[in-house]
Amino acid sequence: MTNRAKLAVGGVVAGLILLLLLPSGAFWVALLVMVGVPVGVYLLLDPSQRKRLRRVSRKELHR
């Protein structure tokens, strides 16, 4: 697993932990962390890496 993938998974895990620990009003904060970190990591990719990621994802969907 690449460092960026580990960072994305870490963001989702951090969001889930925040969801459990914070009061119910902090749902949006946890959701922002769970969605925002993976999106941020995706945006940090080079255009060629994004293209390769989309190509691999499509191949896995068409099995």
Side-chain angles (χ1 to χ4, degrees):
M1 189 182 304
T2 65
N3 287 337
R4 290 185 179 180
K6 290 177 188 175
L7 184 63
V9 170
V12 172
V13 170
L16 289 173
I17 291 171
L18 283 174
L19 188 61
L20 294 174
L21 295 178
L22 295 176
S24 61
F27 168 76
W28 295 110
V29 174
L31 185 66
L32 180 64
V33 170
M34 286 192 295
V35 173
V37 170
V39 168
V41 170
Y42 177 78
L43 292 175
L44 288 174
L45 294 173
D46 295 334
S48 63
Q49 291 171 324
R50 290 182 197 166
K51 184 177 179 182
R52 186 178 343 147
L53 182 63
R54 285 192 303 267
R55 186 176 65 236
V56 168
S57 297
R58 275 193 226 116
K59 282 182 182 178
E60 290 177 0
L61 288 174
H62 293 296
R63 283 188 190 180

